[in-house]
Amino acid sequence: QWQRERLLTRFEDVKIELDPQRVEQEMIMLAQKVDVAEELDRLDAHVEEARKILKKGGPCGRRLDFMMQEFNREANTLASKSINADITAAAVELKVLIEQMREQV
């Protein structure tokens, strides 16, 4: 809704008439583009895997380093899909935390 209002306001400002059906199509495509559910699911799976690795004990540096790469990949995707400053800030904070974990590994 926020993005729809923003788009309509911009077009009103430049006095461009829009086809309502076309606006709906664009909103659907935008919603699909910025959907981060898959990335969040993968992050959850990575957290669980990292916990398993840590609970197992023993040498685990290489496995944890690999998990940090996976975390970073998902954080990058989240940041690239963001259309909201709060989400972008959260993705940047996530990357900072991942880098801190990588240093510990």
Side-chain angles (χ1 to χ4, degrees):
Q1 184 63 28
W2 167 79
Q3 190 65 23
R4 177 192 317 274
E5 289 170 8
R6 186 173 167 223
L7 179 66
L8 292 174
T9 300
R10 282 186 175 174
F11 281 114
E12 286 173 9
D13 289 346
V14 292
K15 309 228 184 308
I16 295 176
E17 199 155 318
L18 298 172
D19 173 16
Q21 200 170 17
R22 177 61 189 217
V23 171
E24 290 304 313
Q25 291 171 345
E26 292 296 326
M27 290 294 101
I28 290 169
M29 290 189 323
L30 179 64
Q32 290 171 339
K33 181 181 172 189
V34 299
D35 181 17
V36 295
E38 188 176 338
E39 287 77 14
L40 295 175
D41 288 344
R42 281 197 295 261
L43 276 171
D44 284 341
H46 296 334
V47 167
E48 287 305 312
E49 183 61 26
R51 286 182 176 150
K52 287 178 188 176
I53 292 168
L54 290 169
K55 285 181 182 179
K56 184 177 178 184
C60 58
R62 287 183 190 250
R63 288 183 186 271
L64 287 173
D65 188 51
F66 174 75
M67 293 309 303
M68 295 309 111
Q69 290 175 24
E70 294 300 308
F71 282 129
N72 205 35
R73 184 175 291 120
E74 300 307 330
N76 285 335
T77 305
L78 284 170
S80 71
K81 286 186 170 186
S82 173
I83 60 170
N84 180 300
D86 292 336
I87 295 171
T88 301
V92 169
E93 181 64 22
L94 181 58
K95 290 179 66 139
V96 168
L97 295 171
I98 293 165
E99 190 56 34
Q100 289 174 346
M101 289 188 298
R102 175 172 270 156
E103 289 172 1
Q104 294 299 311
V105 170

